[in-house]
Amino acid sequence: MSIASLSSIQESPSRSYPLVSRQSHPNDTVVTVGAARFGGGHFAVIAGPCAVESREQILETAHGVREAGAQMLRGGAYKPRTSPYDFQGLGEGGLELLALAREETGLPIVTEVMDSEDISLVARYADMIQIGTRSMSSFRLLQKVAQTGKPVLLKRGMQASIREWLLSAEYLLANGNDRVVLCERGIRTHDSEFLRNTFDLSAIALGHLETHLPIIADPSHGTGRADLVPTMSLAAVAAGADGLILEVHHNPAEALCDGRQSLSPATFTELCSRLSAYVDLEGKQWSPFCLAG
Ligand code: PEP
Ligand code: MN
């Protein structure tokens, strides 16, 4: 179907995202990145720091999460910070360090792109490209990222409805890329005193009814609190998540970004072993390498 013919489809909840809709594609899509498989009964864990900070930090964390059972490494080289005075990421230097960590651990990497200018550089290093919550509605960025052909991790906008999120995914599929994993990462509601966001578990359950694409959960940004991440990870699995993305730092107290929501490698290891029973209960299969340590 051409983009022109798709755009003529009348607006109606189930028909406005024809490529993403489960109506047009009843079977689950499975997205594979290295050893990680998401969707169709497969489950995988992505873990790593919010931001790549140094060689020592990324290597130590990468080895820790690999041993605990993660299938992919995360880490931001370009960071969308609320304040221009906060650490903005190491840029290309951060991408090089991620590549080094991949070489040492075998873990494929996912990292965020914020600006169209950086897409070809990021695509040279990344195994999967992350679209962050602030960029979910940057439609030109979505089109260009789709065209790289790389798998895409599409986070839900913090103010976005489920329909808007699915329409952003439709932009990716309409531009020829169906290797898309959706990620619920919390939305803004009114309690910001205790919680950074409201982690919307119903979006995962509802999402599975509406779309064939895999949906993973990010309880780190979803809650903003390391002490809630284990419980909400288990809850996300029960709600049907096809995987998790978790912030892990070798020394959370010293992290340059999102330390309050980052697990230590030891806590992450403990969580991975608790998770496995829940994943089994859901009838899902861990991707290879999990719990290998
Ligand atoms: C991140 O993953 O570190 C990040 C910035 O995520 P989000 O876009 O969901 O805030
Ligand atoms: Mn973060």
Side-chain angles (χ1 to χ4, degrees), residues 45-64:
V45 176
I46 305 170
C50 180
V52 181
E53 298 168 9
S54 67
R55 180 186 164 101
E56 179 211 13
Q57 175 244 18
I58 195 66
L59 292 181
E60 197 172 326
T61 307
H63 282 286

Side-chain angles (χ1 to χ4, degrees), residues 89-104:
L90 297 177
E92 187 170 5
L95 298 174
E96 284 167 2
L97 291 175
L98 283 168
L100 179 65
R102 171 176 53 206
E103 209 176 294
E104 284 205 4

Side-chain angles (χ1 to χ4, degrees), residues 35-156:
R37 306 188 90 189
F38 303 94
H42 299 278
F43 185 90
V45 176
I46 305 170
C50 180
V52 181
E53 298 168 9
S54 67
R55 180 186 164 101
E56 179 211 13
Q57 175 244 18
I58 195 66
L59 292 181
E60 197 172 326
T61 307
H63 282 286
V65 302
R66 164 74 176 82
E67 275 159 36
Q71 288 81 38
M72 284 187 71
L73 178 67
R74 60 149 292 145
Y78 296 92
K79 292 306 302 177
R81 304 306 299 276
T82 303
S83 165
Y85 305 113
D86 287 339
F87 177 57
Q88 303 286 310
L90 297 177
E92 187 170 5
L95 298 174
E96 284 167 2
L97 291 175
L98 283 168
L100 179 65
R102 171 176 53 206
E103 209 176 294
E104 284 205 4
T105 61
L107 294 175
I109 56 188
V110 58
T111 195
E112 177 167 355
V113 70
M114 291 162 56
D115 192 300
S116 291
E117 269 185 19
D118 303 321
I119 293 175
S120 59
L121 180 66
V122 171
R124 273 213 299 282
Y125 289 91
D127 300 289
M128 181 183 221
I129 298 179
Q130 176 171 323
I131 300 288
T133 191
R134 293 161 188 81
S135 303
M136 187 209 84
S137 303
S138 296
F139 304 119
R140 291 284 294 144
L141 183 72
L142 293 174
Q143 287 171 337
K144 291 178 183 165
V145 166
Q147 287 158 11
T148 65
K150 292 271 177 178
V152 181
L153 181 62
L154 178 64
K155 293 217 174 180
R156 179 180 179 188

Side-chain angles (χ1 to χ4, degrees), residues 95-287:
L95 298 174
E96 284 167 2
L97 291 175
L98 283 168
L100 179 65
R102 171 176 53 206
E103 209 176 294
E104 284 205 4
T105 61
L107 294 175
I109 56 188
V110 58
T111 195
E112 177 167 355
V113 70
M114 291 162 56
D115 192 300
S116 291
E117 269 185 19
D118 303 321
I119 293 175
S120 59
L121 180 66
V122 171
R124 273 213 299 282
Y125 289 91
D127 300 289
M128 181 183 221
I129 298 179
Q130 176 171 323
I131 300 288
T133 191
R134 293 161 188 81
S135 303
M136 187 209 84
S137 303
S138 296
F139 304 119
R140 291 284 294 144
L141 183 72
L142 293 174
Q143 287 171 337
K144 291 178 183 165
V145 166
Q147 287 158 11
T148 65
K150 292 271 177 178
V152 181
L153 181 62
L154 178 64
K155 293 217 174 180
R156 179 180 179 188
M158 62 179 89
Q159 326 257 25
S161 67
I162 294 171
R163 187 170 133 77
E164 288 164 341
W165 184 29
L166 295 173
L167 282 165
S168 285
E170 187 76 13
Y171 264 95
L172 297 169
L173 273 71
N175 281 274
N177 192 334
D178 60 359
R179 299 168 76 196
V180 175
V181 176
L182 296 165
C183 177
E184 162 57 33
R185 52 78 67 203
I187 49 171
R188 284 265 166 94
T189 57
H190 32 252
D191 193 352
S192 54
E193 183 189 348
F194 291 112
L195 295 163
R196 183 174 179 182
N197 288 296
T198 294
F199 186 41
D200 187 4
L201 289 174
S202 56
I204 300 170
L206 188 279
H208 279 308
L209 301 178
E210 279 298 303
T211 181
H212 54 90
L213 295 172
I215 306 173
I216 69 168
D218 175 353
S220 308
H221 293 88
T223 63
R225 298 176 52 142
D227 58 352
L228 296 184
V229 165
T231 308
M232 297 316 289
S233 296
L234 302 177
V237 174
D242 300 305
L244 292 166
I245 178 166
L246 298 171
E247 286 188 339
V248 179
H249 193 284
H250 73 309
N251 184 1
E254 299 286 320
L256 296 181
C257 185
D258 286 350
R260 288 185 58 218
Q261 66 195 36
S262 298
L263 302 179
S264 65
T267 319
F268 175 68
T269 303
E270 197 182 308
L271 171 58
C272 271
S273 50
R274 284 178 73 199
L275 265 173
S276 98
Y278 281 71
V279 174
D280 282 353
L281 205 61
E282 287 299 311
K284 289 191 175 153
Q285 225 191 339
W286 285 90
S287 297

Side-chain angles (χ1 to χ4, degrees), residues 30-41:
V30 180
V31 175
T32 302
V33 187
R37 306 188 90 189
F38 303 94

